[in-house]
């Protein structure tokens, strides 16, 4: 099984159209079974688009309409047009940069979505507050696994990581079978006694560490939004803050960074993670 996660930071910057095209072409080459996206945005000024009844789309109730140029919707349409099965859902989370509906998405290229699950992770659900955090989960047909796209806050903040993590664990504790958490955790792996160690000590398995073959693992290089005041040196030049965690201990053959400018172009301010497991 191939799992991919990416904080897409989508639709932003002069190169947004090229980044979208590069991402789609990369997915057509990689063919992951499941894709988790964070910052899968749509322009608030765009016209609503009715996806009801469209092949592969599963609605997640939210009160925010899907619009043209929705990042996840565009990726799904292009994959379907290329003859690739794609079942997908999208959850708006908050207002981004005053002009986007910023959301989470999951796309399955393997099996239809049988069930969805949403969780509020922040202390309050305020669409205008950039600190609002949620999780989006799917259960696929003929599978015992749950997959969640997750975007958590920072360790030291007015709505801190530890409280959000507690809400996430409480919200999924009744799920049977394996649970996978894919996404941007905003917790550098090299910093002790913060987010990474909390998740690890809670019994979750870091697929990067389990992998028989792996690369350097850094998912952020240089300065990005949310980390502009980070220290210099001591591992801060490049960070591993995006992860694929599992509630059990899967057999992981490989973990690698993708969309890093080598085999695949850079498409975001984050790099993607591709994990290959032996079911």
């Amino acid at each position: 099984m191939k799992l991919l996660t990416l904080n897409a930071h989508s639709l932003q910057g002069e190169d947004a159209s090229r980044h979208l095209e590069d991402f789609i072409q990369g997915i057509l080459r990689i063919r992951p079974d499941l894709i988790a996206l964070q910052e899968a945005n749509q322009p608030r000024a765009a016209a609503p688009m009715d996806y009801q009844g469209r092949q592969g789309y599963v609605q997640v109730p939210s009160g925010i309409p899907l619009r043209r140029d929705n990042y996840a919707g565009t990726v799904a349409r292009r994959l379907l047009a290329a003859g690739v099965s794609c079942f997908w859902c999208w959850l708006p989370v908050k207002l981004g940069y005053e002009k986007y509906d910023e959301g989470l998405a999951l796309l399955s290229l393997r099996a239809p979505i049988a069930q969805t699950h949403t969780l509020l992770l922040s202390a309050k659900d305020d669409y205008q507050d950039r600190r609002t955090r949620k999780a989006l989960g799917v259960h696929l047909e003929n599978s015992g696994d749950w997959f969640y796209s997750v975007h958590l806050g920072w360790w030291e903040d007015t709505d801190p990581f530890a409280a959000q993590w507690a809400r996430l664990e409480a919200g999924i504790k009744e799920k049977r079978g394996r649970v996978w958490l894919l996404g941007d955790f905003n917790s550098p792996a090299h910093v002790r006694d913060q987010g990474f160690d909390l998740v690890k000590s809670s019994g979750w398995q870091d697929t990067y560490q389990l992998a028989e073959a792996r690369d350097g693992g850094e998912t952020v290089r240089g300065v990005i939004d949310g980390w502009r005041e980070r220290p210099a040196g001591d591992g801060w030049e490049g960070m591993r803050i995006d992860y694929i965690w599992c509630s059990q201990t899967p057999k992981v053959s490989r973990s690698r960074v993708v969309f890093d400018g080598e085999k695949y172009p850079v498409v975001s301010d984050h790099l993607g993670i591709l994990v290959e497991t032996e079911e």
Side-chain angles (χ1 to χ4, degrees):
M1 178 169 62
K2 291 183 180 180
L3 304 176
L4 185 144
T5 185
L6 173 72
N7 180 326
H9 197 61
S10 59
L11 308 185
Q12 302 191 54
E14 296 179 357
D15 297 327
S17 296
R18 178 173 58 81
H19 287 165
L20 173 60
E21 182 64 29
D22 287 341
F23 180 66
I24 292 168
Q25 293 305 315
I27 293 303
L28 288 172
R29 289 173 57 193
I30 297 169
R31 297 294 180 97
D33 294 291
L34 183 125
I35 304 167
L37 296 174
Q38 305 84 48
E39 296 189 27
N41 301 334
Q42 66 177 15
R44 288 175 63 83
M49 186 169 184
D50 185 10
Y51 284 88
Q52 283 294 90
R54 292 189 176 228
Q55 183 181 359
Y57 172 62
V58 175
Q59 183 178 19
V60 178
S62 69
I64 302 292
L66 276 162
R67 298 183 180 277
R68 291 188 180 277
D69 299 324
N70 179 285
Y71 185 84
T74 301
V75 173
R77 289 198 309 274
R78 291 286 304 279
L79 293 177
L80 288 165
V84 178
S85 296
C86 183
F87 307 91
W88 67 284
C89 57
W90 178 77
L91 174 68
V93 176
K94 59 186 176 181
L95 178 64
Y97 295 92
E98 303 298 326
K99 59 182 179 179
Y100 301 113
D101 292 312
E102 180 182 313
L104 302 166
L106 287 159
L107 298 88
S108 171
L109 280 58
R110 178 179 189 177
I113 295 171
Q115 188 177 355
T116 65
H117 182 212
T118 63
L119 287 168
L120 176 64
L121 305 183
S122 49
K124 58 182 180 179
D125 188 0
D126 182 352
Y127 204 73
Q128 306 297 318
D129 189 341
R130 66 181 179 85
R131 292 179 174 82
T132 299
R133 303 289 178 175
K134 295 183 180 181
L136 171 64
V138 296
H139 179 233
L140 305 179
E141 290 185 5
N142 302 315
S143 171
D145 295 359
W146 275 89
F147 303 89
Y148 285 83
S149 182
V150 178
H151 191 182
L152 287 164
W154 298 270
W155 182 255
E156 295 178 352
D157 203 351
T158 54
D159 194 342
F161 179 99
Q164 294 178 8
W165 173 249
R167 295 184 192 104
L168 176 56
E169 281 212 299
I172 61 178
K173 67 180 179 181
E174 301 300 329
K175 300 300 182 188
R176 297 181 180 180
R178 293 185 301 187
V179 178
W180 303 81
L181 305 178
L182 305 92
D184 177 1
F185 280 66
N186 273 313
S187 295
H190 72 280
V191 178
R192 301 279 64 85
D193 300 320
Q194 292 192 7
F196 178 84
D197 286 347
L198 176 59
V199 178
K200 185 86 171 170
S201 66
S202 300
W204 290 81
Q205 301 298 313
D206 177 11
T207 55
Y208 173 81
Q209 293 184 331
L210 294 177
E212 294 179 359
R214 59 179 181 263
D215 54 17
E218 294 176 353
T219 60
V220 168
R221 298 169 182 167
V223 178
I224 64 170
D225 288 349
W227 291 96
R228 296 193 178 279
E229 297 180 2
R230 70 190 191 192
D234 296 328
W236 289 98
E237 292 81 3
M239 300 187 294
R240 185 163 75 95
I241 64 174
D242 302 82
Y243 304 90
I244 299 178
W245 297 92
C246 187
S247 61
Q248 299 181 19
T249 308
K251 182 74 171 178
V252 182
S253 56
R254 188 178 184 186
S255 176
R256 60 188 172 113
V257 170
V258 290
F259 300 109
D260 60 348
E262 295 182 13
K263 285 188 176 181
Y264 304 94
V266 172
V267 298
S268 173
D269 60 352
H270 286 241
L271 310 182
I273 304 172
L274 179 67
V275 163
E276 300 176 44
T277 72
E278 299 176 16
E279 299 279 353

